[in-house]
Amino acid sequence: MAKDIAKDASNEVHISAAPTTIQTYEVTAYYLNVRANGYPKSKVLKVVEKGTMLEVSRKTDNGWLRLKGGGYVHGDYAKLIQEIEPSQAVEPSQAIEPLQETEPSTDVDPSLNEDNTDQTNPVKPTSAVGTESGLSEEDIKLIFDGTDLAGNGLEETILEVEQEYGINALFTIAVMKLESGNGSSRLAKNKNNLFGLNASGDNAHKRAFSFETKGDSVRKFGQLLSDHYVDKGYTTIEKIATKYCPANSKWSGLVKNIMKKDFGKLNVI
């Protein structure tokens, strides 16, 4: 009977593909990874900077934005600017087939390197804190190896701070190491405060901020550096030192020395 219905033209139902609505998003993070698929550990195709306009064909259920022409960015780091009418959008027949979003094993694009690693590499640090580090979570784990900072799950948060606030990850790590004694200080252990935030005056330990997790102190550090230092012109380690730790004239040199040593651990060619 099904065959008879199919042969009867009056019973045929023709379904046309719905036109694709393209939306324009503006990147709000200082550096935003465009990944091959919509999950955090997918291969990085390229990095775009704050203010870049992206054409987005759809938003996934888990918050990733599918870019027109391929690639994904996380929706938390881009804001909707406008929506293009369907008549102006790419016809469905011209659209690129979506990449697999859930299976890491399919995360290979023949036009890219055949290995399944990020294309970015660690960048030699300078005094400018608003630069991209090129670090991966594995790089940070290597830097933390042998310290009390290891095993706290801080790697992703440090990279999020770089992405959202533009604070170089090597700088964040160096300040963290210096101010917390590589994670062994009383503030680090008792208050999860890795940066000595608000620890000043006669009773520094009591006055210091307390955080639920060590990752929360990393986020607070990024916010404070962005709002009260970088955005006000304190864009180098030397300038930040005059406000962050004016009592220690060697602070900037100590931070830069840690950054240099940590970069050396990565064996970058």
Side-chain angles (χ1 to χ4, degrees):
M1 183 172 180
K3 292 182 179 179
D4 292 335
I5 292 175
K7 290 177 181 178
D8 187 345
S10 64
N11 290 324
E12 290 183 9
V13 178
H14 298 277
I15 302 175
S16 59
T20 303
T21 300
I22 301 297
Q23 297 176 318
T24 300
Y25 279 74
E26 181 180 355
V27 175
T28 57
Y30 282 86
Y31 305 105
L32 183 59
N33 291 326
V34 177
R35 297 185 179 274
N37 296 297
Y39 55 86
K41 296 191 182 297
S42 177
K43 179 183 293 183
V44 175
L45 303 180
K46 63 180 180 178
V47 178
V48 292
E49 297 183 351
K50 186 175 183 178
T52 302
M53 297 298 175
L54 304 173
E55 291 187 312
V56 175
S57 60
R58 64 185 176 88
K59 187 173 185 178
T60 67
D61 292 338
N62 59 347
W64 289 78
L65 305 176
R66 171 69 157 90
L67 303 184
K68 173 185 172 183
Y72 293 79
V73 298
H74 200 285
D76 286 350
Y77 305 111
K79 63 180 179 181
L80 178 64
I81 300 299
Q82 67 176 355
E83 189 171 292
I84 300 174
E85 292 299 320
S87 60
Q88 302 172 14
V90 177
E91 292 297 322
S93 61
Q94 297 174 313
I96 296 174
E97 288 297 316
L99 299 170
Q100 295 294 322
E101 294 182 49
T102 56
E103 295 297 328
S105 61
T106 64
D107 186 16
V108 177
D109 186 329
S111 65
L112 302 169
N113 295 334
E114 294 185 359
D115 61 7
N116 196 30
T117 59
D118 287 356
Q119 289 183 293
T120 55
N121 291 313
V123 178
K124 188 176 181 179
T126 67
S127 290
V129 299
T131 55
E132 185 183 2
S133 69
L135 296 185
S136 67
E137 290 186 28
E138 291 304 315
D139 292 329
I140 300 176
K141 286 180 181 178
L142 179 60
I143 289 172
F144 282 163
D145 188 38
T147 74
D148 287 341
L149 295 168
N152 289 292
L154 299 173
E155 295 83 7
E156 184 176 355
T157 307
I158 290 169
L159 294 179
E160 285 176 356
V161 164
E162 178 172 280
Q163 191 172 62
E164 184 170 357
Y165 298 111
I167 307 299
N168 184 283
L170 279 167
F171 173 72
T172 297
I173 294 167
V175 177
M176 181 191 305
K177 283 185 165 186
L178 179 60
E179 297 295 338
S180 72
N182 284 319
S184 64
S185 70
R186 285 179 63 206
L187 284 181
K189 292 184 178 297
N190 299 337
K191 292 193 169 186
N192 287 322
N193 188 335
L194 299 174
F195 300 90
L197 298 176
N198 209 46
S200 60
D202 295 334
N203 198 338
H205 188 274
K206 185 177 181 180
R207 287 170 55 85
F209 293 149
S210 181
F211 298 94
E212 184 175 345
T213 69
K214 289 179 172 62
D216 289 338
S217 79
V218 177
R219 295 184 187 93
K220 186 64 174 179
F221 174 78
Q223 178 194 348
L224 288 173
L225 260 290
S226 176
D227 293 346
H228 300 288
Y229 289 80
V230 176
D231 288 352
K232 296 184 183 300
Y234 294 84
T235 56
T236 65
I237 298 173
E238 291 79 7
K239 288 181 179 180
I240 289 172
T242 63
K243 184 177 179 180
Y244 194 95
C245 193
N248 186 354
S249 61
K250 297 181 179 180
W251 191 87
S252 62
L254 293 171
V255 170
K256 289 192 290 185
N257 191 45
I258 294 171
M259 293 172 70
K260 182 178 179 180
K261 288 182 178 179
D262 286 345
F263 181 76
K265 294 178 182 178
L266 304 177
N267 297 317
V268 179
I269 299 175

PDB file of all heavy atoms in Angstrom, residues 83-120:
ATOM      1  N   GLU A  83      21.545  39.406  12.533  1.00  0.00           N
ATOM      2  CA  GLU A  83      21.096  38.192  11.859  1.00  0.00           C
ATOM      3  C   GLU A  83      20.817  38.521  10.407  1.00  0.00           C
ATOM      4  O   GLU A  83      20.130  39.490  10.095  1.00  0.00           O
ATOM      5  CB  GLU A  83      19.828  37.671  12.541  1.00  0.00           C
ATOM      6  CG  GLU A  83      19.378  36.310  12.068  1.00  0.00           C
ATOM      7  CD  GLU A  83      18.261  35.766  12.941  1.00  0.00           C
ATOM      8  OE1 GLU A  83      18.521  35.460  14.114  1.00  0.00           O
ATOM      9  OE2 GLU A  83      17.122  35.654  12.447  1.00  0.00           O
ATOM     10  N   ILE A  84      21.391  37.740   9.499  1.00  0.00           N
ATOM     11  CA  ILE A  84      21.219  37.968   8.066  1.00  0.00           C
ATOM     12  C   ILE A  84      19.965  37.238   7.598  1.00  0.00           C
ATOM     13  O   ILE A  84      19.698  36.100   7.990  1.00  0.00           O
ATOM     14  CB  ILE A  84      22.444  37.468   7.277  1.00  0.00           C
ATOM     15  CG1 ILE A  84      23.694  38.225   7.753  1.00  0.00           C
ATOM     16  CG2 ILE A  84      22.259  37.660   5.782  1.00  0.00           C
ATOM     17  CD1 ILE A  84      24.977  37.717   7.144  1.00  0.00           C
ATOM     18  N   GLU A  85      19.180  37.910   6.769  1.00  0.00           N
ATOM     19  CA  GLU A  85      17.953  37.310   6.267  1.00  0.00           C
ATOM     20  C   GLU A  85      18.251  36.024   5.491  1.00  0.00           C
ATOM     21  O   GLU A  85      19.268  35.932   4.802  1.00  0.00           O
ATOM     22  CB  GLU A  85      17.217  38.288   5.336  1.00  0.00           C
ATOM     23  CG  GLU A  85      16.659  39.497   6.058  1.00  0.00           C
ATOM     24  CD  GLU A  85      15.639  39.114   7.105  1.00  0.00           C
ATOM     25  OE1 GLU A  85      14.837  38.206   6.836  1.00  0.00           O
ATOM     26  OE2 GLU A  85      15.646  39.705   8.199  1.00  0.00           O
ATOM     27  N   PRO A  86      17.343  35.025   5.580  1.00  0.00           N
ATOM     28  CA  PRO A  86      17.561  33.753   4.879  1.00  0.00           C
ATOM     29  C   PRO A  86      17.829  33.931   3.392  1.00  0.00           C
ATOM     30  O   PRO A  86      18.598  33.193   2.802  1.00  0.00           O
ATOM     31  CB  PRO A  86      16.255  33.000   5.129  1.00  0.00           C
ATOM     32  CG  PRO A  86      15.738  33.560   6.425  1.00  0.00           C
ATOM     33  CD  PRO A  86      16.138  35.003   6.416  1.00  0.00           C
ATOM     34  N   SER A  87      17.219  34.942   2.781  1.00  0.00           N
ATOM     35  CA  SER A  87      17.406  35.141   1.339  1.00  0.00           C
ATOM     36  C   SER A  87      18.836  35.531   0.989  1.00  0.00           C
ATOM     37  O   SER A  87      19.282  35.371  -0.130  1.00  0.00           O
ATOM     38  CB  SER A  87      16.452  36.237   0.842  1.00  0.00           C
ATOM     39  OG  SER A  87      16.712  37.461   1.513  1.00  0.00           O
ATOM     40  N   GLN A  88      19.571  36.061   2.016  1.00  0.00           N
ATOM     41  CA  GLN A  88      20.945  36.475   1.772  1.00  0.00           C
ATOM     42  C   GLN A  88      21.938  35.391   2.164  1.00  0.00           C
ATOM     43  O   GLN A  88      23.129  35.533   1.946  1.00  0.00           O
ATOM     44  CB  GLN A  88      21.259  37.735   2.596  1.00  0.00           C
ATOM     45  CG  GLN A  88      20.341  38.890   2.305  1.00  0.00           C
ATOM     46  CD  GLN A  88      20.573  40.040   3.277  1.00  0.00           C
ATOM     47  OE1 GLN A  88      21.574  40.063   3.973  1.00  0.00           O
ATOM     48  NE2 GLN A  88      19.647  40.972   3.323  1.00  0.00           N
ATOM     49  N   ALA A  89      21.437  34.323   2.742  1.00  0.00           N
ATOM     50  CA  ALA A  89      22.322  33.289   3.284  1.00  0.00           C
ATOM     51  C   ALA A  89      22.731  32.286   2.218  1.00  0.00           C
ATOM     52  O   ALA A  89      22.201  32.266   1.114  1.00  0.00           O
ATOM     53  CB  ALA A  89      21.632  32.568   4.430  1.00  0.00           C
ATOM     54  N   VAL A  90      23.670  31.445   2.572  1.00  0.00           N
ATOM     55  CA  VAL A  90      24.160  30.416   1.667  1.00  0.00           C
ATOM     56  C   VAL A  90      23.078  29.372   1.443  1.00  0.00           C
ATOM     57  O   VAL A  90      22.399  28.954   2.376  1.00  0.00           O
ATOM     58  CB  VAL A  90      25.398  29.740   2.282  1.00  0.00           C
ATOM     59  CG1 VAL A  90      25.889  28.610   1.399  1.00  0.00           C
ATOM     60  CG2 VAL A  90      26.499  30.771   2.472  1.00  0.00           C
ATOM     61  N   GLU A  91      22.875  28.985   0.208  1.00  0.00           N
ATOM     62  CA  GLU A  91      21.909  27.937  -0.092  1.00  0.00           C
ATOM     63  C   GLU A  91      22.353  26.614   0.525  1.00  0.00           C
ATOM     64  O   GLU A  91      23.551  26.322   0.561  1.00  0.00           O
ATOM     65  CB  GLU A  91      21.767  27.765  -1.612  1.00  0.00           C
ATOM     66  CG  GLU A  91      21.104  28.950  -2.293  1.00  0.00           C
ATOM     67  CD  GLU A  91      19.685  29.151  -1.819  1.00  0.00           C
ATOM     68  OE1 GLU A  91      18.994  28.140  -1.598  1.00  0.00           O
ATOM     69  OE2 GLU A  91      19.270  30.310  -1.655  1.00  0.00           O
ATOM     70  N   PRO A  92      21.423  25.780   0.984  1.00  0.00           N
ATOM     71  CA  PRO A  92      21.785  24.509   1.610  1.00  0.00           C
ATOM     72  C   PRO A  92      22.677  23.644   0.748  1.00  0.00           C
ATOM     73  O   PRO A  92      23.552  22.955   1.229  1.00  0.00           O
ATOM     74  CB  PRO A  92      20.422  23.842   1.864  1.00  0.00           C
ATOM     75  CG  PRO A  92      19.464  24.990   1.973  1.00  0.00           C
ATOM     76  CD  PRO A  92      19.974  26.031   1.037  1.00  0.00           C
ATOM     77  N   SER A  93      22.484  23.688  -0.581  1.00  0.00           N
ATOM     78  CA  SER A  93      23.293  22.848  -1.460  1.00  0.00           C
ATOM     79  C   SER A  93      24.750  23.279  -1.484  1.00  0.00           C
ATOM     80  O   SER A  93      25.623  22.519  -1.863  1.00  0.00           O
ATOM     81  CB  SER A  93      22.721  22.908  -2.886  1.00  0.00           C
ATOM     82  OG  SER A  93      22.756  24.238  -3.364  1.00  0.00           O
ATOM     83  N   GLN A  94      25.003  24.550  -1.077  1.00  0.00           N
ATOM     84  CA  GLN A  94      26.362  25.057  -1.095  1.00  0.00           C
ATOM     85  C   GLN A  94      27.051  24.922   0.251  1.00  0.00           C
ATOM     86  O   GLN A  94      28.238  25.151   0.367  1.00  0.00           O
ATOM     87  CB  GLN A  94      26.350  26.543  -1.477  1.00  0.00           C
ATOM     88  CG  GLN A  94      25.812  26.798  -2.887  1.00  0.00           C
ATOM     89  CD  GLN A  94      25.697  28.275  -3.150  1.00  0.00           C
ATOM     90  OE1 GLN A  94      25.176  29.033  -2.335  1.00  0.00           O
ATOM     91  NE2 GLN A  94      26.200  28.700  -4.292  1.00  0.00           N
ATOM     92  N   ALA A  95      26.265  24.583   1.260  1.00  0.00           N
ATOM     93  CA  ALA A  95      26.826  24.542   2.615  1.00  0.00           C
ATOM     94  C   ALA A  95      27.774  23.379   2.779  1.00  0.00           C
ATOM     95  O   ALA A  95      27.600  22.320   2.187  1.00  0.00           O
ATOM     96  CB  ALA A  95      25.690  24.423   3.638  1.00  0.00           C
ATOM     97  N   ILE A  96      28.791  23.583   3.596  1.00  0.00           N
ATOM     98  CA  ILE A  96      29.748  22.519   3.888  1.00  0.00           C
ATOM     99  C   ILE A  96      29.134  21.567   4.894  1.00  0.00           C
ATOM    100  O   ILE A  96      28.485  21.978   5.848  1.00  0.00           O
ATOM    101  CB  ILE A  96      31.050  23.122   4.453  1.00  0.00           C
ATOM    102  CG1 ILE A  96      31.695  23.993   3.375  1.00  0.00           C
ATOM    103  CG2 ILE A  96      32.007  22.051   4.922  1.00  0.00           C
ATOM    104  CD1 ILE A  96      32.902  24.752   3.854  1.00  0.00           C
ATOM    105  N   GLU A  97      29.332  20.295   4.700  1.00  0.00           N
ATOM    106  CA  GLU A  97      28.792  19.305   5.624  1.00  0.00           C
ATOM    107  C   GLU A  97      29.367  19.524   7.012  1.00  0.00           C
ATOM    108  O   GLU A  97      30.563  19.761   7.165  1.00  0.00           O
ATOM    109  CB  GLU A  97      29.141  17.891   5.144  1.00  0.00           C
ATOM    110  CG  GLU A  97      28.357  17.449   3.917  1.00  0.00           C
ATOM    111  CD  GLU A  97      26.876  17.369   4.198  1.00  0.00           C
ATOM    112  OE1 GLU A  97      26.505  16.844   5.262  1.00  0.00           O
ATOM    113  OE2 GLU A  97      26.084  17.848   3.370  1.00  0.00           O
ATOM    114  N   PRO A  98      28.520  19.433   8.065  1.00  0.00           N
ATOM    115  CA  PRO A  98      29.018  19.629   9.426  1.00  0.00           C
ATOM    116  C   PRO A  98      30.066  18.600   9.798  1.00  0.00           C
ATOM    117  O   PRO A  98      29.977  17.439   9.399  1.00  0.00           O
ATOM    118  CB  PRO A  98      27.763  19.446  10.293  1.00  0.00           C
ATOM    119  CG  PRO A  98      26.603  19.601   9.359  1.00  0.00           C
ATOM    120  CD  PRO A  98      27.089  19.160   8.018  1.00  0.00           C
ATOM    121  N   LEU A  99      31.059  19.025  10.561  1.00  0.00           N
ATOM    122  CA  LEU A  99      32.046  18.089  11.083  1.00  0.00           C
ATOM    123  C   LEU A  99      31.453  17.354  12.265  1.00  0.00           C
ATOM    124  O   LEU A  99      30.549  17.823  12.923  1.00  0.00           O
ATOM    125  CB  LEU A  99      33.298  18.859  11.531  1.00  0.00           C
ATOM    126  CG  LEU A  99      34.025  19.635  10.438  1.00  0.00           C
ATOM    127  CD1 LEU A  99      35.075  20.536  11.074  1.00  0.00           C
ATOM    128  CD2 LEU A  99      34.688  18.686   9.464  1.00  0.00           C
ATOM    129  N   GLN A 100      31.961  16.168  12.549  1.00  0.00           N
ATOM    130  CA  GLN A 100      31.498  15.410  13.704  1.00  0.00           C
ATOM    131  C   GLN A 100      31.812  16.172  14.978  1.00  0.00           C
ATOM    132  O   GLN A 100      32.889  16.706  15.138  1.00  0.00           O
ATOM    133  CB  GLN A 100      32.187  14.041  13.743  1.00  0.00           C
ATOM    134  CG  GLN A 100      31.828  13.148  12.571  1.00  0.00           C
ATOM    135  CD  GLN A 100      30.365  12.752  12.581  1.00  0.00           C
ATOM    136  OE1 GLN A 100      29.798  12.515  13.632  1.00  0.00           O
ATOM    137  NE2 GLN A 100      29.761  12.677  11.409  1.00  0.00           N
ATOM    138  N   GLU A 101      30.843  16.228  15.909  1.00  0.00           N
ATOM    139  CA  GLU A 101      31.027  17.024  17.111  1.00  0.00           C
ATOM    140  C   GLU A 101      31.411  16.197  18.316  1.00  0.00           C
ATOM    141  O   GLU A 101      31.865  16.728  19.311  1.00  0.00           O
ATOM    142  CB  GLU A 101      29.740  17.785  17.428  1.00  0.00           C
ATOM    143  CG  GLU A 101      29.398  18.830  16.384  1.00  0.00           C
ATOM    144  CD  GLU A 101      28.156  19.593  16.761  1.00  0.00           C
ATOM    145  OE1 GLU A 101      28.068  20.052  17.899  1.00  0.00           O
ATOM    146  OE2 GLU A 101      27.254  19.696  15.924  1.00  0.00           O
ATOM    147  N   THR A 102      31.207  14.902  18.274  1.00  0.00           N
ATOM    148  CA  THR A 102      31.335  14.125  19.507  1.00  0.00           C
ATOM    149  C   THR A 102      32.433  13.084  19.485  1.00  0.00           C
ATOM    150  O   THR A 102      32.876  12.645  20.527  1.00  0.00           O
ATOM    151  CB  THR A 102      30.003  13.409  19.812  1.00  0.00           C
ATOM    152  OG1 THR A 102      29.633  12.598  18.692  1.00  0.00           O
ATOM    153  CG2 THR A 102      28.906  14.435  20.064  1.00  0.00           C
ATOM    154  N   GLU A 103      32.891  12.681  18.335  1.00  0.00           N
ATOM    155  CA  GLU A 103      33.872  11.615  18.271  1.00  0.00           C
ATOM    156  C   GLU A 103      35.256  12.163  17.988  1.00  0.00           C
ATOM    157  O   GLU A 103      35.537  12.616  16.886  1.00  0.00           O
ATOM    158  CB  GLU A 103      33.499  10.598  17.167  1.00  0.00           C
ATOM    159  CG  GLU A 103      32.212   9.845  17.418  1.00  0.00           C
ATOM    160  CD  GLU A 103      32.308   8.995  18.657  1.00  0.00           C
ATOM    161  OE1 GLU A 103      33.407   8.497  18.967  1.00  0.00           O
ATOM    162  OE2 GLU A 103      31.299   8.816  19.339  1.00  0.00           O
ATOM    163  N   PRO A 104      36.150  12.188  18.972  1.00  0.00           N
ATOM    164  CA  PRO A 104      37.494  12.708  18.742  1.00  0.00           C
ATOM    165  C   PRO A 104      38.241  12.012  17.624  1.00  0.00           C
ATOM    166  O   PRO A 104      39.071  12.593  16.969  1.00  0.00           O
ATOM    167  CB  PRO A 104      38.189  12.482  20.090  1.00  0.00           C
ATOM    168  CG  PRO A 104      37.069  12.425  21.092  1.00  0.00           C
ATOM    169  CD  PRO A 104      35.933  11.799  20.364  1.00  0.00           C
ATOM    170  N   SER A 105      37.917  10.748  17.378  1.00  0.00           N
ATOM    171  CA  SER A 105      38.643   9.984  16.372  1.00  0.00           C
ATOM    172  C   SER A 105      38.420  10.523  14.969  1.00  0.00           C
ATOM    173  O   SER A 105      39.176  10.254  14.062  1.00  0.00           O
ATOM    174  CB  SER A 105      38.212   8.509  16.426  1.00  0.00           C
ATOM    175  OG  SER A 105      36.824   8.397  16.162  1.00  0.00           O
ATOM    176  N   THR A 106      37.335  11.319  14.776  1.00  0.00           N
ATOM    177  CA  THR A 106      37.058  11.878  13.455  1.00  0.00           C
ATOM    178  C   THR A 106      37.651  13.267  13.306  1.00  0.00           C
ATOM    179  O   THR A 106      37.484  13.905  12.290  1.00  0.00           O
ATOM    180  CB  THR A 106      35.538  11.961  13.218  1.00  0.00           C
ATOM    181  OG1 THR A 106      34.979  12.878  14.169  1.00  0.00           O
ATOM    182  CG2 THR A 106      34.884  10.615  13.365  1.00  0.00           C
ATOM    183  N   ASP A 107      38.356  13.720  14.306  1.00  0.00           N
ATOM    184  CA  ASP A 107      38.867  15.086  14.327  1.00  0.00           C
ATOM    185  C   ASP A 107      40.130  15.218  13.469  1.00  0.00           C
ATOM    186  O   ASP A 107      41.199  15.541  13.944  1.00  0.00           O
ATOM    187  CB  ASP A 107      39.153  15.477  15.779  1.00  0.00           C
ATOM    188  CG  ASP A 107      39.554  16.935  15.897  1.00  0.00           C
ATOM    189  OD1 ASP A 107      39.326  17.697  14.950  1.00  0.00           O
ATOM    190  OD2 ASP A 107      40.112  17.285  16.936  1.00  0.00           O
ATOM    191  N   VAL A 108      39.971  14.941  12.182  1.00  0.00           N
ATOM    192  CA  VAL A 108      41.101  15.031  11.262  1.00  0.00           C
ATOM    193  C   VAL A 108      40.627  15.721   9.992  1.00  0.00           C
ATOM    194  O   VAL A 108      39.629  15.339   9.401  1.00  0.00           O
ATOM    195  CB  VAL A 108      41.654  13.627  10.909  1.00  0.00           C
ATOM    196  CG1 VAL A 108      42.771  13.761   9.891  1.00  0.00           C
ATOM    197  CG2 VAL A 108      42.140  12.914  12.144  1.00  0.00           C
ATOM    198  N   ASP A 109      41.313  16.749   9.599  1.00  0.00           N
ATOM    199  CA  ASP A 109      41.030  17.458   8.362  1.00  0.00           C
ATOM    200  C   ASP A 109      42.241  17.267   7.461  1.00  0.00           C
ATOM    201  O   ASP A 109      43.339  17.663   7.819  1.00  0.00           O
ATOM    202  CB  ASP A 109      40.804  18.940   8.669  1.00  0.00           C
ATOM    203  CG  ASP A 109      40.353  19.719   7.433  1.00  0.00           C
ATOM    204  OD1 ASP A 109      40.759  19.320   6.318  1.00  0.00           O
ATOM    205  OD2 ASP A 109      39.628  20.700   7.583  1.00  0.00           O
ATOM    206  N   PRO A 110      42.084  16.633   6.284  1.00  0.00           N
ATOM    207  CA  PRO A 110      43.226  16.346   5.422  1.00  0.00           C
ATOM    208  C   PRO A 110      43.998  17.580   4.990  1.00  0.00           C
ATOM    209  O   PRO A 110      45.154  17.489   4.589  1.00  0.00           O
ATOM    210  CB  PRO A 110      42.584  15.645   4.210  1.00  0.00           C
ATOM    211  CG  PRO A 110      41.147  16.022   4.261  1.00  0.00           C
ATOM    212  CD  PRO A 110      40.815  16.177   5.704  1.00  0.00           C
ATOM    213  N   SER A 111      43.381  18.765   5.069  1.00  0.00           N
ATOM    214  CA  SER A 111      44.091  19.971   4.673  1.00  0.00           C
ATOM    215  C   SER A 111      44.986  20.498   5.763  1.00  0.00           C
ATOM    216  O   SER A 111      45.731  21.444   5.562  1.00  0.00           O
ATOM    217  CB  SER A 111      43.073  21.066   4.293  1.00  0.00           C
ATOM    218  OG  SER A 111      42.314  21.447   5.422  1.00  0.00           O
ATOM    219  N   LEU A 112      44.915  19.870   6.969  1.00  0.00           N
ATOM    220  CA  LEU A 112      45.699  20.308   8.109  1.00  0.00           C
ATOM    221  C   LEU A 112      46.787  19.299   8.411  1.00  0.00           C
ATOM    222  O   LEU A 112      46.915  18.277   7.746  1.00  0.00           O
ATOM    223  CB  LEU A 112      44.788  20.477   9.329  1.00  0.00           C
ATOM    224  CG  LEU A 112      43.623  21.461   9.136  1.00  0.00           C
ATOM    225  CD1 LEU A 112      42.650  21.337  10.287  1.00  0.00           C
ATOM    226  CD2 LEU A 112      44.151  22.886   9.051  1.00  0.00           C
ATOM    227  N   ASN A 113      47.594  19.592   9.427  1.00  0.00           N
ATOM    228  CA  ASN A 113      48.595  18.626   9.841  1.00  0.00           C
ATOM    229  C   ASN A 113      47.932  17.321  10.220  1.00  0.00           C
ATOM    230  O   ASN A 113      46.853  17.302  10.788  1.00  0.00           O
ATOM    231  CB  ASN A 113      49.368  19.176  11.056  1.00  0.00           C
ATOM    232  CG  ASN A 113      50.168  20.410  10.680  1.00  0.00           C
ATOM    233  OD1 ASN A 113      50.538  20.584   9.534  1.00  0.00           O
ATOM    234  ND2 ASN A 113      50.418  21.265  11.655  1.00  0.00           N
ATOM    235  N   GLU A 114      48.582  16.209   9.969  1.00  0.00           N
ATOM    236  CA  GLU A 114      47.964  14.919  10.219  1.00  0.00           C
ATOM    237  C   GLU A 114      47.988  14.535  11.681  1.00  0.00           C
ATOM    238  O   GLU A 114      47.258  13.663  12.105  1.00  0.00           O
ATOM    239  CB  GLU A 114      48.656  13.841   9.382  1.00  0.00           C
ATOM    240  CG  GLU A 114      48.433  14.035   7.883  1.00  0.00           C
ATOM    241  CD  GLU A 114      49.024  12.904   7.081  1.00  0.00           C
ATOM    242  OE1 GLU A 114      49.619  12.004   7.689  1.00  0.00           O
ATOM    243  OE2 GLU A 114      48.900  12.913   5.858  1.00  0.00           O
ATOM    244  N   ASP A 115      48.851  15.172  12.457  1.00  0.00           N
ATOM    245  CA  ASP A 115      48.834  14.846  13.878  1.00  0.00           C
ATOM    246  C   ASP A 115      47.618  15.503  14.513  1.00  0.00           C
ATOM    247  O   ASP A 115      47.032  16.413  13.969  1.00  0.00           O
ATOM    248  CB  ASP A 115      50.124  15.299  14.577  1.00  0.00           C
ATOM    249  CG  ASP A 115      50.344  16.799  14.492  1.00  0.00           C
ATOM    250  OD1 ASP A 115      49.437  17.498  14.003  1.00  0.00           O
ATOM    251  OD2 ASP A 115      51.408  17.245  14.915  1.00  0.00           O
ATOM    252  N   ASN A 116      47.226  15.024  15.699  1.00  0.00           N
ATOM    253  CA  ASN A 116      45.997  15.478  16.325  1.00  0.00           C
ATOM    254  C   ASN A 116      46.303  16.432  17.468  1.00  0.00           C
ATOM    255  O   ASN A 116      45.762  16.328  18.555  1.00  0.00           O
ATOM    256  CB  ASN A 116      45.206  14.268  16.839  1.00  0.00           C
ATOM    257  CG  ASN A 116      43.763  14.631  17.137  1.00  0.00           C
ATOM    258  OD1 ASN A 116      43.204  15.512  16.508  1.00  0.00           O
ATOM    259  ND2 ASN A 116      43.180  13.945  18.094  1.00  0.00           N
ATOM    260  N   THR A 117      47.213  17.389  17.227  1.00  0.00           N
ATOM    261  CA  THR A 117      47.592  18.333  18.260  1.00  0.00           C
ATOM    262  C   THR A 117      47.284  19.741  17.813  1.00  0.00           C
ATOM    263  O   THR A 117      47.080  20.015  16.632  1.00  0.00           O
ATOM    264  CB  THR A 117      49.099  18.235  18.559  1.00  0.00           C
ATOM    265  OG1 THR A 117      49.820  18.501  17.343  1.00  0.00           O
ATOM    266  CG2 THR A 117      49.473  16.852  19.055  1.00  0.00           C
ATOM    267  N   ASP A 118      47.228  20.663  18.763  1.00  0.00           N
ATOM    268  CA  ASP A 118      46.991  22.056  18.429  1.00  0.00           C
ATOM    269  C   ASP A 118      48.133  22.581  17.562  1.00  0.00           C
ATOM    270  O   ASP A 118      49.275  22.202  17.709  1.00  0.00           O
ATOM    271  CB  ASP A 118      46.918  22.896  19.708  1.00  0.00           C
ATOM    272  CG  ASP A 118      45.621  22.646  20.465  1.00  0.00           C
ATOM    273  OD1 ASP A 118      44.783  21.898  19.948  1.00  0.00           O
ATOM    274  OD2 ASP A 118      45.471  23.200  21.564  1.00  0.00           O
ATOM    275  N   GLN A 119      47.782  23.496  16.656  1.00  0.00           N
ATOM    276  CA  GLN A 119      48.786  24.047  15.753  1.00  0.00           C
ATOM    277  C   GLN A 119      49.600  25.152  16.416  1.00  0.00           C
ATOM    278  O   GLN A 119      50.615  25.560  15.901  1.00  0.00           O
ATOM    279  CB  GLN A 119      48.095  24.580  14.494  1.00  0.00           C
ATOM    280  CG  GLN A 119      47.565  23.472  13.591  1.00  0.00           C
ATOM    281  CD  GLN A 119      46.961  24.039  12.340  1.00  0.00           C
ATOM    282  OE1 GLN A 119      45.939  24.700  12.377  1.00  0.00           O
ATOM    283  NE2 GLN A 119      47.578  23.783  11.208  1.00  0.00           N
ATOM    284  N   THR A 120      49.109  25.681  17.532  1.00  0.00           N
ATOM    285  CA  THR A 120      49.847  26.725  18.210  1.00  0.00           C
ATOM    286  C   THR A 120      50.981  26.129  19.020  1.00  0.00           C
ATOM    287  O   THR A 120      50.876  25.028  19.535  1.00  0.00           O
ATOM    288  CB  THR A 120      48.914  27.518  19.134  1.00  0.00           C
ATOM    289  OG1 THR A 120      48.257  26.604  20.027  1.00  0.00           O
ATOM    290  CG2 THR A 120      47.866  28.264  18.337  1.00  0.00           C
TER     291      THR A 120
END
